[in-house]
Amino acid sequence: MTVIDKVAPEGSKAGERTSPRPTFRHKLSRWDVKVSPYLYVAPFFIVFGIVGLFPLLYTAYVSMFKWKAGDDDPQFIGFDNFKELFADSQFWNALTNTVSIFLLSSVPQLIIAVLLAALLGARLRGATGWRVGILLPYAASLVAIGIIFANLFGPKYGLINGVLQTIGLDPVDWQASRFGSHVAIAIMVNWRWTGYNALIVLAAMQAIPKELHEAALIDGAGTWRRFTAVTLPLLKPTLIFVTITSTIGGLQIFTEPKLFDALPGSNNGGSTNQFQTVTLYLYQSAFENYNLGYASAIAWVLFVIIVLIALVNFFLTGRLARTPAVKKK
Amino acid sequence: MRTIRNGLVLALGITMTALGATACGSGGDQTPAAANPNEHVELTLSTFTEFGYEALIPEYERLHPNIKITHRKTGQGGPYHQDLITKLAAGSGLADVAAVEEGHLSDVLDKGSKFNDLSKIGPADASPDRWLGWKYDAAKTKDGKVIGYGTDIGPLAMCYRKDMFKAAGLPDDPEAVKPLFATWDSYFAAGADYSAKTKKAWFDSAAQNFNAMVNQLPQGYIGSDDKLAVEGNQGIKDAWTKVTDAVAKGESAKLTAFSNEWNTGFKQGAFATKVCPAWMLGVIKEQAGPENANKWAVTAAFPGGGGNWGGSYLTVPTQSKHPKEAAELAAWLTAPEQQIKAFQAKGTFPSQVKALSDPALLSQTDAYFGGAKVGELFAEQAKKVQKPQYKGPGDGQIQENASSPALQAVEQGKSAADGWQQLVDQAKKITR
């Protein structure tokens, strides 16, 4: 404080920047330039550090222990949890289920999203209404959707089996059949996310300059040709973005399979784990069997898988997105 | 570079101070309990499914104007207990009075140090002789602490559909059907005839019957040494064989208990009999609905004598800021008079000796079940219960995550032998 009192009046008296020592105000403005940007971005990183990075690192720490919930002195076992995990057939079963459900949901979802976006991009009466309409499933409560779909796919009294039987087909035990349960869950996921993805694609579609379409029209290209030769190539970056986000979401799928189980509150994913996903297995290990160490190991393996796939996606984006956008005209 | 670091430290400092301030803010207004009876005390009570406390809580608040009770009700028992154990491990978030179901009691006794000893802090009138001996003793830890006051018990009887029995040419009077329910063999044999004749299911779910059978055994999934005892237990293996044989004969409606399909099954009359712990009457009434009133009946007979399925305890975790007041509330809620009222409200059957001979209980009838004297009936069934089996840690999880899914798999087409292997493997995994 005393320093400020001494320096400040001196600097203000001089009024010029002749003083060999920088004034406090001067220092302050230099700090402002150098430090302030970091202060402005700091809240994100601090919050991320607390709620993102710390749990991540702490999970890695916990995965080194045989740690039962409520244990006062967990036992350090190094990488034994990971060794056990790689030999655990239930984990591989869960991983297969996850990938299967992910493929069954993401592939049709993206195709339908692009087609839907193309339709929504056409001239429609009440376009906003339709656009909001396809977003409605996304706004509905996930738990409510889960309960409704579990009812639809009920093996005995479900609506879907009722319809199948009226048209003369055999009913499917959706919970018992492995593939059947994956299809049912994928339908649940698609119903919710297709509209959301279609809107993102639609936004990208509308950013495509009209001149390109006009030029193609003059060259004699029909609707389909313009869609495949102009729209799709320019959509590539957006499509890859949508793929990445749905990959991350798809690999973490949890609520839908949990609510699809006939046994309420069960984390088994069916009587013989037909549709138990990795996150469901993680949850079961942590909060039903209270093996926190083992669950942490699952969480880390899942994290690494997601990062790897995201990286592959990222490099593909770099390659695919660059070439066509520049060349095509 | 230095200024940058200083800036970050400053920013971190500011954020930390802000976070610290809010943390203090939420923690600071909870002052420790004082003995002053006029002091305003807020208590929380957590229960799952139906305890019948809805009318009792306002009554307690009327009797104790300084106490305000928040009742947290949860639907399913499984998730409720997961939440309970997690919060126990986390060291915060539990209610002052937390209900614990008998099947999960062993997990809680395992962590006895995190609960108050009710024999020390509880009111004097909550003495051991209030309860049925086995009910009271079951909530004692190995070092003798009493961590829970018994609420209800689940004496078993058999419920059945009168109209469906009549249609199949079976006797339908509650006295006349008793021989059918004398032993498990007679029960499954009657079911085989019934299913062959009508092409309809005899019972709702294999797992429901199996659970009742295992509960009757002197020893359950876990031995008294707290080790897994499924493979060496002939009683469990026999029960498995009988139930899976019945499934093979088409006696099971193959409905997973408490699922949506099971609920619909009650409305549709998908099965003719149902193992009925006392608390199941309320479930049947709710799911079968008024349109099926008088079709259901209950009789004082259960294959293999009697049995107990379910029943809970009220505990006071050490997390509670007001343990004395919480223990008083728990003692009051489990006192004979209140147990009778809870029974009248939701059919939770009393565990107090005095309540079992209470005229209010014995004269209780249920119009939905054809005016059956359910109070007297279940009191009679409760007396048939011998010493209940010891349930070691993991017992409830094995029932929910090993035996029930394995039987579900058998109902979905897996062979009985493969299903048994699945049960054993999964039980080993749980107790590992």
Side-chain angles (χ1 to χ4, degrees):
Chain A
M1 281 301 125
T2 48
V3 182
I4 297 170
D5 289 344
K6 234 189 190 170
V7 174
E10 204 183 274
S12 59
K13 226 182 253 169
E16 301 286 331
R17 291 187 176 202
T18 47
S19 163
R21 287 169 65 203
T23 65
F24 178 69
R25 192 177 290 252
H26 186 208
K27 265 196 217 160
L28 212 61
S29 78
R30 255 180 43 203
W31 283 355
D32 187 36
V33 171
K34 282 191 170 169
V35 179
S36 292
Y38 295 96
L39 277 178
Y40 296 143
V41 295
F44 168 79
F45 286 97
I46 290 164
V47 171
F48 171 75
I50 294 168
V51 304
L53 197 62
F54 171 72
L56 198 69
L57 297 177
Y58 193 64
T59 306
Y61 171 75
V62 172
S63 72
M64 304 286 173
F65 288 84
K66 188 178 173 65
W67 195 322
K68 279 258 177 187
D71 266 3
D72 293 326
D73 49 339
Q75 180 195 346
F76 182 82
I77 53 167
F79 286 96
D80 281 7
N81 277 327
F82 291 92
K83 271 185 221 155
E84 198 184 323
L85 185 64
F86 290 128
D88 182 355
S89 62
Q90 197 176 346
F91 172 72
W92 293 111
N93 171 66
L95 192 61
T96 316
N97 290 345
T98 308
V99 173
S100 159
I101 293 172
F102 156 66
L103 289 178
L104 281 172
S105 55
S106 287
V107 176
Q109 189 186 114
L110 293 182
I111 295 173
I112 297 170
V114 173
L115 294 179
L116 253 182
L119 290 177
L120 285 171
R123 278 191 202 165
L124 287 173
R125 202 172 286 177
T128 318
W130 294 105
R131 286 172 195 175
V132 172
I134 64 160
L135 201 61
L136 279 182
Y138 175 69
S141 148
L142 187 52
V143 174
I145 296 169
I147 292 168
I148 291 167
F149 274 77
N151 269 316
L152 287 179
F153 287 101
K156 278 223 165 65
Y157 306 111
L159 184 70
I160 311 252
N161 273 347
V163 171
L164 286 181
Q165 275 166 307
T166 35
I167 58 171
L169 293 170
D170 284 336
V172 179
D173 192 338
W174 296 101
Q175 263 100 13
S177 135
R178 195 171 179 195
F179 185 69
S181 64
H182 293 186
V183 169
I185 292 168
I187 290 176
M188 215 187 296
V189 176
N190 287 343
W191 187 78
R192 185 170 148 83
W193 287 97
T194 307
Y196 173 85
N197 285 326
L199 278 196
I200 293 178
V201 176
L202 176 66
M205 255 180 208
Q206 297 199 321
I208 296 172
K210 279 211 170 65
E211 293 78 15
L212 291 178
H213 278 286
E214 282 163 6
L217 206 59
I218 291 166
D219 288 346
T223 317
W224 181 248
R225 180 101 175 94
R226 271 185 287 135
F227 180 69
T228 52
V230 179
T231 313
L232 273 188
L234 290 172
L235 277 183
K236 238 172 205 168
T238 311
L239 289 181
I240 289 163
F241 166 76
V242 172
T243 314
I244 296 179
T245 50
S246 65
T247 308
I248 294 173
L251 292 177
Q252 295 178 338
I253 186 164
F254 171 75
T255 319
E256 287 91 347
K258 182 167 168 86
L259 291 168
F260 189 66
D261 203 311
L263 193 66
S266 162
N267 302 309
N268 290 318
S271 58
T272 52
N273 312 123
Q274 294 96 324
F275 50 93
Q276 187 178 48
T277 58
V278 175
T279 12
L280 208 49
Y281 186 39
L282 188 165
Y283 184 82
Q284 181 171 46
S285 304
F287 300 112
E288 206 170 358
N289 301 333
Y290 310 119
N291 284 324
L292 297 183
Y294 196 62
S296 301
I298 300 177
W300 256 86
V301 172
L302 181 65
F303 173 68
V304 169
I305 292 174
I306 291 177
V307 167
L308 284 180
I309 294 181
L311 279 179
V312 169
N313 273 323
F314 182 75
F315 286 118
L316 283 179
T317 327
R319 298 203 136 201
L320 293 174
R322 220 174 297 131
T323 35
V326 181
K327 269 189 200 163
K328 276 265 159 27
K329 197 131 194 228
Chain B
M1 204 53 218
R2 234 182 106 190
T3 45
I4 291 171
R5 208 176 300 141
N6 288 345
L8 282 176
V9 169
L10 180 70
L12 198 70
I14 291 168
T15 319
M16 283 313 194
T17 319
L19 286 173
T22 48
C24 289
S26 60
D29 49 22
Q30 283 162 338
T31 45
N36 181 4
N38 295 320
E39 197 217 3
H40 186 73
V41 173
E42 290 192 10
L43 292 177
T44 47
L45 163 71
S46 65
T47 62
F48 52 92
T49 64
E50 300 294 351
F51 274 66
Y53 289 165
E54 286 72 17
L56 293 177
I57 287 166
E59 189 182 335
Y60 191 79
E61 287 178 329
R62 216 164 37 246
L63 296 170
H64 302 79
N66 63 320
I67 288 182
K68 169 100 185 59
I69 299 165
T70 311
H71 186 188
R72 298 187 210 146
K73 270 179 79 175
T74 312
Q76 293 295 332
Y80 170 86
H81 289 93
Q82 282 169 32
D83 185 59
L84 179 90
I85 301 284
T86 314
K87 283 176 175 159
L88 207 57
S92 68
L94 283 178
D96 296 292
V97 179
V100 175
E101 209 256 342
E102 164 223 49
H104 297 266
L105 187 64
S106 54
D107 292 329
V108 166
L109 285 171
D110 220 28
K111 299 174 171 50
S113 62
K114 294 186 161 78
F115 290 89
N116 284 297
D117 186 351
L118 294 176
S119 67
K120 293 230 174 70
I121 67 159
D125 60 341
S127 54
D129 54 337
R130 257 191 181 185
W131 281 269
L132 291 166
W134 57 267
K135 181 74 180 174
Y136 188 82
D137 289 345
K140 271 187 187 162
T141 60
K142 288 207 163 114
D143 52 353
K145 275 170 80 177
V146 175
I147 64 159
Y149 287 141
T151 58
D152 57 325
I153 51 175
L156 284 160
M158 191 57 83
C159 292
Y160 66 97
R161 283 280 296 252
K162 272 186 293 190
D163 56 331
M164 291 166 74
F165 270 46
K166 198 176 230 168
L170 289 169
D172 64 323
D173 179 73
E175 284 304 313
V177 296
K178 277 184 178 174
L180 295 179
F181 304 140
T183 64
W184 285 108
D185 289 327
S186 69
Y187 173 75
F188 286 128
D193 289 345
Y194 174 87
S195 298
K197 202 190 277 176
T198 61
K199 303 282 169 233
K200 279 185 183 161
W202 179 241
F203 55 82
D204 57 336
S205 142
Q208 291 277 295
N209 289 34
F210 185 73
N211 290 347
M213 293 165 91
V214 171
N215 273 340
Q216 287 178 318
L217 299 171
Q219 196 183 53
Y221 300 110
I222 308 283
S224 49
D225 57 352
D226 284 354
K227 292 221 167 70
L228 184 66
V230 174
E231 276 180 298
N233 191 326
Q234 196 54 40
I236 295 182
K237 186 76 213 260
D238 289 346
W240 175 270
T241 311
K242 281 178 191 169
V243 171
T244 49
D245 280 353
V247 171
K249 286 177 184 148
E251 293 181 45
S252 173
K254 305 179 180 179
L255 299 166
T256 306
F258 301 101
S259 69
N260 296 319
E261 294 255 306
W262 187 71
N263 295 341
T264 313
F266 276 109
K267 288 196 180 62
Q268 306 264 343
F271 42 88
T273 66
K274 169 87 202 78
V275 294
C276 258
W279 46 265
M280 189 64 80
L281 298 187
V283 178
I284 293 179
K285 257 184 266 185
E286 192 174 331
Q287 298 307 339
E291 66 269 29
N292 286 314
N294 273 321
K295 289 183 185 162
W296 278 98
V298 57
T299 186
F302 195 75
N308 181 67
W309 182 351
S312 299
Y313 291 85
L314 294 184
T315 66
V316 178
T318 48
Q319 291 177 18
S320 172
K321 296 263 186 329
H322 308 283
K324 265 208 129 56
E325 287 84 350
E328 261 168 46
L329 171 65
W332 186 85
L333 283 172
T334 54
E337 305 76 40
Q338 278 68 248
Q339 286 201 341
I340 295 284
K341 285 177 192 162
F343 171 71
Q344 285 165 338
K346 294 286 174 188
T348 55
F349 203 76
S351 61
Q352 300 256 2
V353 180
K354 223 171 113 193
L356 284 177
S357 56
D358 193 302
L361 175 85
L362 295 178
S363 63
Q364 179 78 24
T365 58
D366 196 324
Y368 192 89
F369 291 85
K373 290 186 104 178
V374 288
E376 194 184 324
L377 187 152
F378 280 106
E380 188 184 326
Q381 290 303 99
K383 283 176 202 142
K384 291 182 191 168
V385 180
Q386 292 140 9
K387 198 173 179 280
Q389 67 181 215
Y390 170 74
K391 287 191 189 301
D395 190 280
Q397 287 168 33
I398 293 177
Q399 187 190 304
E400 276 179 35
N401 292 325
S403 72
S404 295
L407 282 163
Q408 198 190 346
V410 171
E411 287 176 331
Q412 289 169 346
K414 205 170 194 174
S415 79
D418 288 351
W420 174 255
Q421 196 54 47
Q422 182 184 333
L423 192 169
V424 171
D425 290 345
Q426 200 60 36
K428 276 183 187 159
K429 208 168 173 187
I430 289 168
T431 51
R432 177 183 60 187

